[in-house]
Amino acid sequence: MPSRSLDPDGQLYVFGYGSLIWRPGFAHAAAHPALLRGFHRRFCIWSRIYRGSPEAPGLVLGLDRGGACRGVAFSVPGREAAAVLDYLDARENIGDEVVYARRLLPVRLLDSGRTVRTVAYVAERGSAHYCRPAAEEAARAIARGIGQAGANRDYLLNTVAHLRAMGVRDAGLDRIAALLPAAPGTPPDAG
């Protein structure tokens, strides 16, 4: 029910921590830098559709327990909440593959200091797609993964670039990006 998802100010807030940061896919009134405590961003979901295939699964980000995560809280007028939640539910959980649980979590808006009730999609640890690969394994999977939404490498590098533009460095993502082999067709460094 959308009304339960609204903050007391009447807005729907959606927390973006990965591709939602750079490709939300829904109209929003504002985008606020935000901090979520109790969860961290991690490549912990095997992707066999969006960023990989059944033969070469890729990895996508999830919010996993522990730590904290900087991201973006998008505010949406309450009257548009139902349509946005329908869109996000379909985007995050494809068909019967439930890999994320939609949760209402407190998020601090860093531009105002306010704490708002925010919809966030948290990794479902009970899913067969949940994983905790080491950085080296993650880099190998991301390097080869290509799915309906494009190359897994692009997903990682776009997320890292947009986080850096927000002044956020994610050590886990930076480590995986540093371990990626050169993209096919990339000329070797000249001397």
Side-chain angles (χ1 to χ4, degrees), residues 46-48 51-59 141-142 144-146 152:
W46 289 114
S47 176
R48 291 172 175 84
R51 296 293 175 171
S53 65
E55 302 78 30
L59 284 166
I142 289 167
R144 71 176 180 267
I146 299 173
N152 205 174

Side-chain angles (χ1 to χ4, degrees), residues 59-148:
L59 284 166
V60 292
L61 292 165
L63 287 173
D64 209 0
R65 292 189 297 235
C69 182
R70 293 250 329 255
V72 175
F74 296 98
S75 65
V76 175
R79 67 185 174 278
E80 298 168 22
V84 169
L85 290 172
D86 286 347
Y87 163 75
L88 289 169
D89 287 346
R91 173 178 169 164
E92 300 301 321
N93 290 309
I94 304 169
D96 62 352
E97 288 187 4
V98 178
V99 297
Y100 298 103
R102 183 192 336 151
R103 303 261 312 266
L104 284 173
L105 300 169
V107 169
R108 185 167 177 251
L109 304 181
L110 298 174
D111 53 1
S112 69
R114 288 182 51 224
T115 297
V116 296
R117 181 172 38 198
T118 307
V119 168
Y121 288 83
V122 175
E124 189 65 66
R125 284 189 163 199
S127 168
H129 299 280
Y130 177 79
C131 59
R132 294 177 58 99
E136 296 79 8
E137 181 186 355
R140 284 191 300 273
I142 289 167
R144 71 176 180 267
I146 299 173
Q148 291 176 3

